[in-house]
Amino acid sequence: MDNSAAQTSPHASHHRPPDGSPHGSRDGSPHEPLPGRVGHVAGIESLTLDGRRHYFAFDHRSDLVVSPLVDDPDAMAAFAAAHLRQSDGPHDRAYWAALVADAAEASALVDDDAEREFRTDALRTELPEPGGHLLYLLDAATDLDPATDLPAGLARACERLGHAAPDDDDFADTVDDCLETVATHGPSHHPDEWTVARGYLTAAIAALPGNWGLLFTPVAEGLAARTS
């Protein structure tokens, strides 16, 4: 069984399932798919939040989250059977149930289990680690359009800093650099870096589909508390 099979073009391979419907829960799945992210070739990943395991589908080649967070393994298998494929086509619940079980034991995204274990209090009080798994998941899940969804002041701050702008392929490096600077020296000493880090994180979290706010709303709350 291939738990890492996926499609080819990042954030551009969303398409409808074979029956043509953009939504719906076939085969008894109680969870709705994320808008525009149906029928992907995907594997199963998981994370824990406050000790509770949540599963999700992930298109590894596209670096794209393709399901909501699902905290029941049987429901995750049902969702996958209804809305996902592997490279050799669709499969039944029993097939996906084995991949769901595997996802609790290991990940194709991280080597260390600690990287996929999160606690609400830490998410609220600590900035995301630059280049870390939390930022990776945010980028893979969000529907953010950098051209239209980011605050205007962010691009100007990037220009003053001499960093890659939001429409640049290296913008993720800009966010990492700004987060590292703010985490080391504090936001008050580096207002442009804070404008970039806070602006990106706030906008990306606001554009999350489905129930991914379960993981990221505490981050947004922490950003708001630092601003006030």
Side-chain angles (χ1 to χ4, degrees), residues 126-136 138 161 163 171-187 190 192-202 219 223 226:
E126 301 170 9
L127 289 171
E129 179 186 357
H133 189 49
L134 186 66
L135 276 181
Y136 177 76
L138 177 59
L161 292 167
H163 289 339
F171 179 62
D173 294 334
T174 294
V175 174
D176 286 343
D177 290 344
C178 290
L179 275 171
E180 186 169 2
T181 298
V182 169
T184 302
H185 302 289
H190 292 271
D192 280 339
E193 286 88 346
W194 181 230
T195 293
V196 173
R198 180 191 60 204
Y200 168 74
L201 291 172
T202 301
V219 178
L223 292 169
R226 288 181 178 88

Side-chain angles (χ1 to χ4, degrees), residues 11-93:
H11 297 250
S13 55
H14 307 161
H15 59 275
R16 294 185 175 189
D19 68 359
S21 61
H23 305 291
S25 298
R26 302 194 312 275
D27 299 344
S29 168
H31 293 273
E32 294 292 328
L34 302 182
R37 306 189 192 187
V38 185
H40 280 252
V41 174
I44 306 298
E45 293 286 342
S46 75
L47 57 86
T48 63
L49 179 60
D50 297 328
R52 187 174 186 86
R53 187 164 299 279
H54 298 263
Y55 300 90
F56 59 97
F58 197 84
D59 181 336
H60 291 82
R61 288 186 183 175
S62 297
D63 291 326
L64 189 68
V65 165
V66 293
S67 84
L69 290 166
V70 181
D71 64 359
D72 177 79
D74 292 337
M76 185 70 242
F79 177 94
H83 302 295
L84 304 176
R85 298 179 295 123
Q86 291 256 280
S87 55
D88 58 349
H91 289 275
D92 62 15
R93 289 193 199 186

